[in-house]
Every structure is written in C-alpha cells, then in structure tokens.
Amino acid sequence: MSSIKKFQVTFDCAEPERVARFWCEVLGYVVPPPPKGFDTWDDFDRSLPAEEQGSSFACIDPSGVGPRLYFQRVPEGKVVKNRVHLDVRVGTGLVGEERLAALEAECARLVALGAVRVQLLLADEHNESCISMQDIEGNEFCLD
C-alpha cells in the first residue's frame, strides 16, 4: 500500500462557483472540463434537478500536483473560526523585509479579488511573518 494518498480539500459555502473561481485566481487553479456529454458546466448544471443546480463546483491544479478543491453549498452560514485552513505559500525562503514585501504584494492582489486582510503577524523567535486573511465567504487562510 502506498504511503502517499491523493486528497481533495472541501469547502462548505453558500455560492460554490463564486468561491471556487476566487480560489482559482488565488492559486492559479483551473476549472476542470465538464462531464462527458456536456459542452459546458452550465449545460451540465441545467441537466440537474432544480434543487441541485449550483450546489457544487470544483477546481484543480493544472499541473496535477496540488489537491482538487471542491466547493459544496450548505444551508447554514459560517459562524465560527475554521478548524482547518489553507496556507498560501508566497514567502517561502524569504525573510525580513523581502518576505514582508512579498506577503504585502500578494495581500493587495487578493484584496482586489474580494479577500479581507485580517492581521499581519510579525516574525518572532519561532515563526516567520504571515498575514491572516479571509476569502470572499469569510473562510480564514494565511499568506505564509
């Protein structure tokens, strides 16, 4: 049995396609091709019962290396902090002012996409600087 397993990250959300397209922009992911027999995802969506239309969406790493991200509509809204979050690694290998500049540049790009900057956490004796943020539905993530 292989010790490496494929996995996907699933987001509960109100608007699956909108949140998926946000994360495509954040990570450079793409929308996979529609199921066989459908020219577009809209065509596929219209084939579903009305209550299932718009209920899910996905995006994938075009290189095939990163996990698939799956977004599913749920009736309840987000009310507490995530127990799991994504760290978007934009400052790997950078330290000090160079790291802060990379984090701030990516933060500005993501805020323009609808993300919310929460807090800059400066480096200490154990951790490098990072910026905590929220996506367009309030899910926490970090620029690391």
Side-chain angles (χ1 to χ4, degrees):
M1 183 178 196
S2 173
S3 63
I4 298 175
K5 309 263 189 284
K6 288 208 171 250
F7 67 96
Q8 78 176 9
V9 178
T10 301
F11 289 71
D12 289 350
C13 53
E15 298 179 67
E17 183 174 353
R18 180 174 173 251
V19 180
R21 291 192 183 279
F22 169 83
W23 281 101
C24 282
E25 290 295 322
V26 171
L27 301 174
Y29 271 40
V30 298
V31 175
K36 198 174 208 168
F38 297 93
D39 292 330
T40 68
W41 279 104
D42 286 339
D43 291 342
F44 172 75
D45 204 46
R46 283 190 292 273
S47 75
L48 299 173
E51 66 275 4
E52 292 180 30
Q53 292 177 6
S55 65
S56 65
F57 211 81
C59 58
I60 58 173
D61 177 351
S63 72
V65 174
R68 178 179 189 253
L69 302 182
Y70 181 75
F71 303 84
Q72 62 186 6
R73 184 174 56 216
V74 296
E76 68 277 359
K78 182 177 178 311
V79 293
V80 298
K81 184 177 187 246
N82 302 1
R83 294 289 305 259
V84 174
H85 68 267
L86 300 183
D87 285 346
V88 180
R89 309 294 310 272
V90 298
T92 303
L94 303 175
V95 295
E97 293 302 316
E98 188 178 19
R99 181 180 179 87
L100 286 173
L103 295 174
E104 292 293 351
E106 185 65 1
C107 180
R109 184 181 82 84
L110 300 183
V111 166
L113 294 173
V116 174
R117 179 192 180 112
V118 176
Q119 179 180 16
L120 170 64
L121 302 166
L122 292 172
D124 59 24
E125 56 276 353
H126 303 292
N127 300 294
E128 290 293 343
S129 296
C130 67
I131 299 176
S132 60
M133 300 190 71
Q134 293 177 339
D135 74 9
I136 57 176
E137 284 201 3
N139 299 301
E140 295 89 4
F141 68 98
C142 289
L143 293 180
D144 177 23

